[in-house]
């Protein structure tokens, strides 16, 4: 990768990592379900008027919108509102890599090789250590909500892999239109119109800035830049940069929110990041997936990543140089 592209990949990881701290602060301004609805509303508007029509079937747009937007982000925001620290949240969500591999095995018949299985076991050990640590420091219910959010993320990865959107940004913009009304309805039902009116009525510049960050910076810029990189480099080259997300998330949480990490927490981080990294890198090699040699790069925070997208195009008579352009998947 060119130095400029390396910088861009690190910048996206930093944006996504800091996003957890922004969410934590935003939950002081908005109820979690309303906050998630506003995130997708602002991400979709006005971008949807410039993105062009969806380039995949509506069933994939709606499916990913419900699973990723409503389920994954709804559970994430509720879990963090229930007491899950921002830094730990950025770490625990990486277990989506394991769920992606499991769901890909069930739905797509992709059998992970031995190296990827080893990485998954190591990552699960990291989650077990994190659960013990969280049980000593915070509510396990919130921890369970984050695990459920990671499972929904894994499911959306597989759905997006099936959809194979040719334009990641176009896909993400249209996916963002789906969760708005369901999340608003759930907010009115569970959080109540009084709480929603109070939050919107007291909206200040900080609250507006938070919405802009989580919608335009992390969603529009983040996914757009990630898709740009995936179109120019193999997914197996880009995806490992996603392992920097919890590094930035935990660091930002410590600096901004004063969150401390225990010895068990650092052990969990090492196991989880190491396991996800091993599983991700194995996906690029021979030992990754046993079905047709193509499998999801499960370490990517971009929903729907896949090594398949990074395969070189067939050579043509017009050029003897194979292309490494990759089709992006579809996150944080």
């Amino acid at each position: 990768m060119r130095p400029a592209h390396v910088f861009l990949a690190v910048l996206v990881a930093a944006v996504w990592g800091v996003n957890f701290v922004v969410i934590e602060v935003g939950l002081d301004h908005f109820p979690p379900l309303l906050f998630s609805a506003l995130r997708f509303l602002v991400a979709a508007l006005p971008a949807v008027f410039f993105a062009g029509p969806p380039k995949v079937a509506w069933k994939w747009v709606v499916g990913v919108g419900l699973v990723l937007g409503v389920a994954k982000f709804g559970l994430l925001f509720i879990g963090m509102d229930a007491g899950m620290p921002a830094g730990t949240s950025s770490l625990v969500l990486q277990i989506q890599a394991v769920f992606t591999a499991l769901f890909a095995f069930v739905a797509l018949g992709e059998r992970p090789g031995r190296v990827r299985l080893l990485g998954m076991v190591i990552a699960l050990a990291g989650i077990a250590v994190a659960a013990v640590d969280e049980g000593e420091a915070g509510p396990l219910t919130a921890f369970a909500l984050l695990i459920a959010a990671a499972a929904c993320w894994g499911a959306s990865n597989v759905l997006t892999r099936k959809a194979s959107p040719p334009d990641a940004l176009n896909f993400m913009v249209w996916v963002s239109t789906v969760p708005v009304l369901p999340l608003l309805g759930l907010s009115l039902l569970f959080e109540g119109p009084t709480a929603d009116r109070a939050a919107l009525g007291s909206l200040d510049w900080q609250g507006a800035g938070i919405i802009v960050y989580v919608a335009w910076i992390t969603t529009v810029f983040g996914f757009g830049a990630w898709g740009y990189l995936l179109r120019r480099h193999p997914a197996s080259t880009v995806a490992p940069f996603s392992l920097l997300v919890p590094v930035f998330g935990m660091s930002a949480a410590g600096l901004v929110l004063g969150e401390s990490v225990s010895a068990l927490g650092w052990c969990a981080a090492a196991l989880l990041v190491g396991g996800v990294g091993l599983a991700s890198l194995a996906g690029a090699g021979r030992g990754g997936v046993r079905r047709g040699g193509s499998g999801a790069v499960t370490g990517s925070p971009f929903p729907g990543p896949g090594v398949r997208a990074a395969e070189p195009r067939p050579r043509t008579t017009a050029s003897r140089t194979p292309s490494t352009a990759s089709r992006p998947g579809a996150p944080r």
Side-chain angles (χ1 to χ4, degrees), residues 19-165:
N19 186 52
F20 287 90
V21 174
V22 177
I23 292 172
E24 183 78 26
V25 177
L27 288 169
D28 292 332
H29 293 258
F30 309 99
L33 291 172
L34 176 64
F35 186 13
S36 189
L38 291 174
R39 172 217 173 111
F40 285 107
L41 176 63
V42 176
L45 298 176
V48 72
F49 297 112
F50 302 97
K55 297 182 174 146
V56 299
W58 272 105
K59 65 179 181 179
W60 301 119
V61 174
V62 173
V64 174
L66 293 176
V67 176
L68 179 71
V70 178
K72 183 257 183 174
F73 279 102
L75 291 168
L76 168 64
F77 281 38
I78 293 172
M80 291 183 66
D81 189 60
M84 194 69 177
T88 307
S89 298
S90 71
L91 175 67
V92 171
L93 270 186
Q94 298 306 310
I95 199 64
Q96 61 86 18
V98 174
F99 284 114
T100 301
L102 291 175
F103 295 148
F105 170 71
V106 173
L108 306 177
E110 296 179 351
R111 294 190 299 156
R114 293 178 182 177
V115 177
R116 174 169 281 180
L117 282 173
L118 176 61
M120 291 165 60
V121 170
I122 293 172
L124 287 172
I127 285 296
V129 173
V132 172
D133 183 51
E134 189 62 25
E136 295 178 353
L140 277 176
T141 301
F143 184 87
L145 289 171
L146 264 292
I147 296 296
C152 292
W153 195 358
S156 73
N157 286 346
V158 175
L159 286 174
T160 309
R161 178 169 172 77
K162 291 284 287 183
S164 298

Side-chain angles (χ1 to χ4, degrees), residues 203-246:
L203 183 65
D204 56 14
W205 285 107
Q206 184 183 47
I210 287 168
I211 294 296
V212 168
Y213 185 92
V214 299
W216 290 349
I217 305 300
T218 67
T219 303
V220 177
F221 166 75
F223 291 124
W226 198 257
Y228 170 86
L229 292 171
L230 284 171
R231 284 192 296 272
R232 284 155 179 80
H233 302 282
S236 56
T237 300
V238 179
F241 284 94
S242 70
L243 299 178
L244 294 174
V245 172

Side-chain angles (χ1 to χ4, degrees), residues 8-18 226 241-246 248-249:
L8 183 59
V10 174
L11 177 61
V12 172
V15 164
W16 280 334
V18 171
W226 198 257
F241 284 94
S242 70
L243 299 178
L244 294 174
V245 172
F248 284 111

